[in-house]
Amino acid sequence: MSYNANSSLASLLARKGLIEEADAKNQALLAAENKQSFIHYLHEKSKIDGSKALEVLADSYGIPTCDLSDYDHKTLPEEYVNEKLIAQHHAIPFEVRGNRLFIALADPTNLAALEDFQFSTGIRTEALLANIAQLAPIIETIIEGDIANLDMGEMGDGDFGSMEVADTERKDEEGLVGEEKDDAPIVVYINKLLMDAIRKGASDLHFEPYEKSYRVRFRIDGILHEISSPPVSLSGRLSARLKVMSKLDIAERRVPQDGRIKLRLSRNKSIDFRVSTLPTIWGEKVVLRILDSSSAMLGIDVLGYEADQKEMYMAALGQPQGMILVTGPTGSGKTVSLYTGLNILNTPERNIATAEDPVEINLTGVNQVHMNPKAGLTFSSALRSFLRQDPDVVMVGEIRDLETAEIAIKAAQTGHLVLSTLHTNSAPETLTRLLNMGVPSFNVASSISLIIAQRLGRKLCGECKAPEEISPKALKELGFNDDQIAQDFTVYKPVGCDKCTGGYKGRVGVYEVMKISDAIAKIIMEDGNSLDIAKQAETEGVDDLRKSALKKVMAGLLSISEVERITSF
């Protein structure tokens, strides 16, 4: 928007007492610099009352008003709802009367919106003034939320029977397909699936071809759910579209490929997807992992650590050297725990370097290195380079072999704080795993300061969870001790409602946090096994995963069935 248009609106609103005159001029200038309408800019900055502004502007410009409280753009013919024009002009098609299309907008000076909608639709347009407080969320819903609100269960085979899908098997002149065909059904379908996955809080999307069927599944709170079953005839086109979006070679179907998709939801919000393709006998299976950087910024207080566990983790992060290991199966939240620690350590005084395969979340202020084994960049080679770069903190994505373990331990012994992961079931087993790799027991005992074993449990929905009657004897068999049974607490079970998935909503971490004490170090030096270490840890008051999960039951966060699922190993 031009400064002149914004300035005239600023003067009007200042005269009517809706904004201070000096502030109005300043905001008009800032709005013009951001190429925004003055009215929308004031609304974003919470500097204007939408209803009062509507009254003043309607009276001054003589434009009729409209009420958007019951507005539903889905009732309009599809050719009138042009998302590009809506986003560009911050205006929406309101209704059709005879041969006229009425456009709802908050800025009465935006005549270009009427001209562009008229050119696009071929129908005469007229303006209606709308309350910016009503208009702004509707525009956001159309641009971002309309896709997210799609009920995928209604998308049966019949919805695809008459599709005219763009030819995704060939590349255009710029190497991409369908970028100018935003209305292509395949493009719309994929976009709706991605947005629906984000809305449902899914962590992964699976696109799976079979001989006579095709299914799309979301992993929600750690459990896979079938969402949609498009016709198997679309298998190649669906995988091709996903490969185009992630800039992969659509002509290569014989070998696995890896890529990324960046989906911009709004001006300040975007979501990354890690994409992996796998050739199967019936076509390419494609899996997308949602990488939401906000999950790495949650802070340690919301991850589910008990007070003593949090204290031990923070104390280990405060040490100038040593090694912190996070262990658990894939999908147990290890990455979030590591990134949370890195965020705490990420200060201007520290040089932090990470070796990851792949780099999932970008952290400003942290030097992140993506592994490339084909080029010779492995965890061990990256670690050697790190030690020549004057690091204070080093993070290794995973200790997979003896060479990486030895270099990481050397770094922990020479004045560096090292964070890494291993795939073991419990904290004591992590120590014996390193010993089995061939790491000398002295190095294990002297370098490792803390081990965190973790799982993610599905959190009970606060809206529908119901009390469950369990006898004291059954509680005892589950692992509760006498003191806990004597306490007045309620065990809850999942029920299910329209606000959750099968009685669960979200996840909470369950942790076993074990500090390497002198007694445990002695057991390691004497070649003790994981059972000896676990017994000593229990003596020192360390809660294993089962005990930690039972505390979450007492807090009303986990069900008994969920405890059994995540701690039954």
Side-chain angles (χ1 to χ4, degrees), residues 469-517:
E469 291 294 331
I470 300 182
S471 67
K473 181 180 178 182
L475 291 175
K476 184 83 171 179
E477 292 174 352
L478 288 168
F480 290 97
N481 59 40
D482 292 334
D483 291 337
Q484 290 174 323
I485 294 173
Q487 297 180 35
D488 184 19
F489 69 92
T490 304
V491 177
Y492 291 94
K493 62 181 179 181
V495 176
C497 65
D498 57 359
K499 295 184 179 180
C500 66
T501 304
Y504 298 100
K505 186 176 183 180
R507 289 193 285 180
V508 64
V510 176
Y511 305 91
E512 176 185 16
V513 181
M514 186 178 78
K515 180 181 178 182
I516 307 303
S517 63

Side-chain angles (χ1 to χ4, degrees), residues 30-49:
L30 292 173
E33 289 177 353
N34 285 277
K35 298 181 179 180
Q36 282 185 273
S37 157
F38 182 61
I39 302 298
H40 286 268
Y41 187 80
L42 290 182
H43 174 70
E44 283 188 2
K45 302 300 180 183
S46 302
K47 289 181 174 288
I48 195 172
D49 184 310

Side-chain angles (χ1 to χ4, degrees), residues 64-80:
T65 62
C66 62
D67 182 9
L68 298 178
S69 57
D70 295 323
Y71 177 80
D72 183 4
H73 70 275
K74 295 178 182 178
T75 61
L76 290 173
E78 188 177 341
E79 62 266 23
Y80 295 146

Side-chain angles (χ1 to χ4, degrees), residues 341-362:
L342 287 178
N343 275 321
I344 294 170
L345 295 169
N346 189 10
T347 63
E349 296 81 21
R350 292 189 178 94
N351 176 22
I352 304 176
T354 72
E356 305 173 62
D357 185 17
V359 175
E360 295 189 348
I361 298 172
N362 297 323

